[in-house]
Every structure is written in C-alpha cells, then in structure tokens.
Amino acid sequence: MVRPIDLQDNLAKTQAAERMNQIQKSHGEMGQRQVADALKEQAAAEMERTRETQETDMVIIRGDKEKEKKEKKRDKKKNDETAENDKEQSGHLDLTG
C-alpha cells in the first residue's frame, strides 16, 4: 500500500513531470524546425549563386566551334573551286597568280 506522504509527493510532481515531457518534446521539434529552416536557406542560396561551367558544357562549346571551323573551310574550298571553274570557262589564263 502507498503511504499518504508518498501519494501527496507524487501528485505534486506529476505537473512538473508533464511540463518536463512537453518541454523535451518541444525542444526536439524546435531542433527539427531549425534544421529544416537552415536547409531551406542553404538551398535558396545555392539557387541564387552562379555556377562554374561544367566540363560537359565546355565539350559542347568546343564541338560547336570545331563544326563552325569545318564549315568555313568547306565553304572556302567551294568558293575556290567555283573561282577556278569560272576561270577555266572564260578561256583566259591568269599567268600572274
């Protein structure tokens, strides 16, 4: 059986124990909220920050430049060939060039 003094002491402590439990729960939830807020802020900062170009982007850019160079060479070659064909068709010989 429980003595009256122990019962009275336990009843007085129940409110304090309930408060302690609530405080412990709220601290855990607050910690989770703080971590979640920090992650959101970090993600927002990363979205705003500019990034260095990646190597794959550089490969694409280089590939485009190489294509342009090849096209220019091909066009120049065609122009040279058409100029020679025009000279041959005209019947004149260019001895200076």
Side-chain angles (χ1 to χ4, degrees):
M1 212 162 148
V2 179
R3 296 184 308 194
I5 295 174
D6 291 338
L7 184 61
Q8 185 180 11
D9 187 43
N10 286 340
L11 288 176
K13 291 180 180 177
T14 54
Q15 288 181 349
E18 286 178 9
R19 282 191 209 139
M20 288 294 292
N21 285 336
Q22 288 177 350
I23 290 171
Q24 288 175 349
K25 280 185 183 179
S26 66
H27 279 295
E29 291 172 1
M30 288 176 63
Q32 288 178 345
R33 284 184 195 157
Q34 288 176 347
V35 170
D37 289 341
L39 288 175
K40 284 181 186 178
E41 288 177 13
Q42 184 179 9
E46 283 186 28
M47 293 294 283
E48 291 177 1
R49 186 171 31 116
T50 59
R51 296 184 181 151
E52 295 289 326
T53 56
Q54 296 178 352
E55 289 183 23
T56 55
D57 293 340
M58 296 304 291
V59 170
I60 292 170
I61 293 169
R62 287 183 190 141
D64 291 342
K65 287 182 180 179
E66 288 176 8
K67 284 181 184 178
E68 288 177 10
K69 286 181 182 178
K70 288 180 182 178
E71 288 175 3
K72 286 181 182 179
K73 285 181 182 179
R74 186 182 60 212
D75 291 342
K76 185 178 179 183
K77 198 174 200 181
K78 283 183 182 179
N79 288 340
D80 291 345
E81 288 176 2
T82 55
E84 285 185 30
N85 287 339
D86 290 343
K87 286 180 184 178
E88 288 176 7
Q89 289 177 358
S90 66
H92 296 287
L93 291 176
D94 185 19
L95 300 175
T96 60

